[in-house]
Amino acid sequence: MKGLLGRRVLLTRPRGQGERLARAVEAEGGHVLWIPVLEIVPLSPGEEERKVLASLSSYDWCAFTSENAVRAFLDWVEGAGVRWPLRLRVAAVGPATARALQARGRPADLLPETQTGQALAHLLTARHRPGRILIPGGNLAQKDLPERLEAAGWEVTRLVCYENRPVSLTAADLYAIEQGLDAAVFASPSAVKALWDQAPESVRNVLRAAACVPMGPSTAEALRAAGLEVAVLPASSTVEGLLAALEEVLAGRPR
């Protein structure tokens, strides 16, 4: 991938969630600037959440919209000693979330082609009658999935099982970005907001000039809302999909 050779790529994911992409970019000759802008903080279930865990068998579906939701919620389930009901089917918003489920022994029963809550809601309502659905997620989770399902007559229970907390960027972090970027990869709308809200105009100008690559449509919308141009929308949120997108957009940009 000659387009990545010598290119400076900003990664904003928390440590522990972007190693494969960082290694892949470096393997193609790119330089990775890794500045996590969020930290993922798992929460402990309270009384109401424990009641939901005890009544898992009353739900028809459990829908996951992120890898973090998979990890946090399944940790709750295992920590409570609850057996996963055979009747409880699982939906995933995209392939990365589906892989996280597979790694925990919960293959996804439903996966939309487009990686958005809206697409998942459409698939659920088109193929299945309204039922009871559980949607674990973070404190900043998008509302399009539960709202569309409720409008279609589904009984929705939302659980906040982790928090996205912005990381305070240091002067060294900001200075490193100010030295210039060829591309910046964002994994979520909250990552876009966390960086943009802390960025002085000098950093914002660097981001405006860089090729901004979102991992999905909702993140692309967040970039546009911040006034940033979406350079390319990857065909998938896999490492291979992101690498191909970076190669595509950087191959045609001056060095």
Side-chain angles (χ1 to χ4, degrees), residues 107-243:
D109 298 293
L110 199 66
L111 181 67
E113 292 185 7
T114 304
Q115 303 166 46
T116 64
Q118 178 179 341
L120 181 54
H122 176 75
L123 194 59
L124 279 164
T125 55
R127 293 188 180 180
H128 302 279
R129 293 180 298 177
R132 300 191 77 211
I133 186 167
L134 183 62
I135 306 179
N139 60 318
L140 301 180
Q142 300 292 301
K143 298 180 180 179
D144 49 352
L145 174 60
E147 288 179 350
R148 288 177 179 272
L149 290 174
E150 287 173 343
W154 289 65
E155 183 181 341
V156 178
T157 299
R158 297 181 64 192
L159 289 180
V160 176
C161 50
Y162 70 92
E163 289 186 349
N164 288 283
R165 296 179 185 172
V167 173
S168 295
L169 301 184
T170 67
D173 292 331
L174 299 174
Y175 177 77
I177 297 174
E178 288 171 340
Q179 303 317 295
L181 300 171
D182 292 293
V185 179
F186 295 90
S188 66
S190 51
V192 175
K193 178 175 173 55
L195 177 54
W196 193 252
D197 285 354
Q198 297 185 70
E201 196 62 21
S202 56
V203 169
R204 290 185 174 190
N205 284 334
V206 171
L207 292 171
R208 291 183 182 112
C212 291
V213 179
M215 288 182 66
S218 60
T219 306
E221 292 175 9
L223 286 169
R224 296 187 186 102
L228 295 169
E229 181 180 350
V230 177
V232 61
L233 185 61
S236 76
S237 60
T238 63
V239 169
E240 294 76 18
L242 289 165
L243 274 181

Side-chain angles (χ1 to χ4, degrees), residues 79-92:
V82 175
R83 295 187 63 181
W84 194 269
L86 293 176
R87 70 183 299 271
L88 182 56
R89 289 173 288 183
V90 178

